[in-house]
Amino acid sequence: MERDNPYLVLPRRLARMREVLARRQKDLVLFLDRVKNEHNFSALIRTAEAVGLQEIWYGFEEPYEAPINVGVTLGAHRWVFLRKTEDPRATLEDFRNRGFQVVVTWLGAGTRDFREVDYTRPTVIVVGNEVEGVSPELLPLATHRIMIPMVGMVRSLNVSVATAVILYEAFRQREAAGLYERPQLSSSEIEAILRKWAYEDVLRQRRKK
């Protein structure tokens, strides 16, 4: 039976997984630089998964693990790939070498309106620590430094709120360009992820019970 159906989920669930993977945006990546608050970190995961991101990178100077609050993610962390790096600069340099633009949130000089960036290009969106923002050593790697216009007394939004605003602008642009209608993952990549989601993860959950 397992040879005929290697998955451990119902056909409707499997079809939903395939539908989601067909719209995953392989070339739109979120990078969290020293975001330590578990509610912010988890809200960022939830929003990123909602707009179809496949990978979220995060970096800490200290040996932190991903500060996930399952009550906030509501399971979203199960459907994305969290990648930890101990060398954020090298990781972002690698993305640039692969043709990605690096879009960094910043409140200092040399910024542009976040809506002026073309997010249909391969893009890494970098957001920083709740208090200090993006690390100074990462700023020279930015293709664009962006800000969200404000007309009130406050100068910034909560990092999870600001990132949601930016991600949904990227979603708007990419949807208008038809990028969600053309699968970015190869058939072999989709099958590998399905094996994880619909077989390995299910077995792992059953063993915990």
Side-chain angles (χ1 to χ4, degrees):
M1 182 176 179
E2 241 179 58
R3 285 193 298 270
D4 297 330
N5 179 12
Y7 303 115
L8 300 175
V9 297
L10 293 173
R12 182 186 302 176
R13 182 71 162 170
L14 185 63
R16 174 60 179 160
M17 290 177 177
R18 289 189 182 279
E19 178 185 346
V20 166
L21 290 172
R23 304 186 70 178
R24 281 298 198 228
Q25 300 297 287
K26 187 177 176 180
D27 63 354
L28 180 61
V29 176
L30 180 61
F31 189 101
L32 312 180
D33 176 35
R34 300 172 300 129
V35 176
K36 297 179 179 179
N37 181 280
E38 67 175 31
H39 289 87
N40 286 333
F41 195 98
S42 302
L44 287 162
I45 292 173
R46 187 169 167 183
T47 302
E49 199 281 330
V51 300
L53 270 65
Q54 185 64 27
E55 282 191 356
I56 300 173
W57 283 79
Y58 66 100
F60 293 121
E61 297 167 352
E62 305 89 346
Y64 278 89
E65 293 304 318
I68 294 173
N69 183 314
V70 297
V72 177
T73 66
L74 293 182
H77 62 285
R78 296 171 51 201
W79 312 115
V80 296
F81 289 90
L82 291 171
R83 314 286 195 195
K84 182 180 179 181
T85 176
E86 295 180 359
D87 192 341
R89 184 180 178 88
T91 299
L92 291 176
E93 285 177 341
D94 179 63
F95 272 111
R96 286 197 57 156
N97 291 338
R98 288 160 50 197
F100 282 70
Q101 62 180 350
V102 177
V103 179
V104 176
T105 57
W106 183 244
L107 294 177
T111 59
R112 63 190 302 186
D113 188 312
F114 78 103
R115 294 166 294 189
E116 296 175 359
V117 173
D118 178 6
Y119 296 99
T120 64
R121 294 179 53 195
T123 302
V124 181
I125 298 171
V126 184
V127 299
N129 176 267
E130 292 87 346
V131 176
E132 300 169 344
V134 172
S135 304
E137 60 267 23
L138 300 184
L139 290 176
L141 297 174
T143 313
H144 304 291
R145 300 182 187 184
I146 60 170
M147 48 83 71
I148 298 173
M150 297 181 196
V151 295
M153 292 293 288
V154 297
R155 296 187 61 237
S156 64
L157 297 172
N158 170 277
V159 63
S160 65
V161 174
T163 305
V165 171
I166 296 164
L167 284 175
Y168 268 88
E169 171 61 16
F171 174 81
R172 184 193 68 79
Q173 291 186 18
R174 285 174 167 250
E175 186 176 45
L179 297 187
Y180 285 90
E181 304 308 316
R182 302 192 293 271
Q184 294 190 7
L185 296 171
S186 67
S187 57
S188 60
E189 287 174 321
I190 289 175
E191 292 306 317
I193 295 170
L194 284 175
R195 177 167 179 80
K196 178 183 183 303
W197 286 0
Y199 183 76
E200 295 170 3
D201 289 353
V202 175
L203 277 182
R204 192 174 298 113
Q205 288 299 315
R206 288 180 180 179
R207 287 167 183 157
K208 288 181 180 179
K209 295 179 179 179

